[in-house]
Amino acid sequence: VQLQASGGGLVQAGGSLRLSCAASGRTFSRQTRAWFRQAPGKEREFVAAMFRSGGYTYYADSVKGRFTISGDNAKNTVYLQMNSLRPEDTAVYYCAADPSIILSSIRMAGQYENWGQGTQVTVSS
């Protein structure tokens, strides 16, 4: 599976952005799909995930209530709607997917097989 992330940009605090991750491959909708982010000098951290085709979603505490992960199977795309953005949300955002990751590992970046190239999100104060 090849992943292509897009939708990043510069936004003021309190604003919104929607990231997209388009995938090749017919099995994408059955995989666990996730978003991670990495700020300068920090480790890559989990943001949100949609577990396999069941649609169950999981979020980091720091984004819960503000971000929403969703998928469009017809378009082979997963989205991250980001509302009420804060300066601390500034990072490069990556989409990831894996066909066989187990639920207890969905927050672990090292467990994902497929990665997009990243898209920069900058939130100004």
Side-chain angles (χ1 to χ4, degrees):
V1 174
Q2 291 187 323
L3 307 178
Q4 181 74 32
S6 61
L10 173 64
V11 63
Q12 289 188 334
S16 298
L17 282 173
R18 189 177 79 157
L19 306 183
S20 300
C21 178
S24 63
R26 297 179 181 179
T27 64
F28 183 63
S29 63
R30 298 197 295 270
Q31 298 191 20
T32 295
R33 293 144 287 166
W35 289 93
F36 287 78
R37 66 186 182 187
Q38 189 165 18
K42 294 188 176 181
E43 293 186 354
R44 192 167 298 189
E45 66 171 356
F46 171 78
V47 175
M50 179 177 293
F51 186 65
R52 297 185 185 170
S53 57
Y56 295 103
T57 57
Y58 303 85
Y59 297 93
D61 289 342
S62 59
V63 307
K64 201 171 294 182
R66 300 188 297 124
F67 291 11
T68 303
I69 186 171
S70 63
D72 185 331
N73 294 340
K75 296 182 178 180
N76 240 20
T77 300
V78 64
Y79 303 99
L80 184 69
Q81 178 66 44
M82 306 185 294
N83 299 328
S84 303
L85 283 161
R86 304 168 181 168
E88 54 264 38
D89 294 318
T90 295
V92 177
Y93 283 70
Y94 298 88
C95 58
D98 193 277
S100 58
I101 195 168
I102 60 175
L103 183 57
S104 60
S105 297
I106 62 170
R107 291 174 169 81
M108 301 177 186
Q111 298 297 311
Y112 285 82
E113 181 178 277
N114 303 297
W115 289 88
Q117 84 288 6
T119 184
Q120 175 71 47
V121 172
T122 303
V123 184
S124 63
S125 57

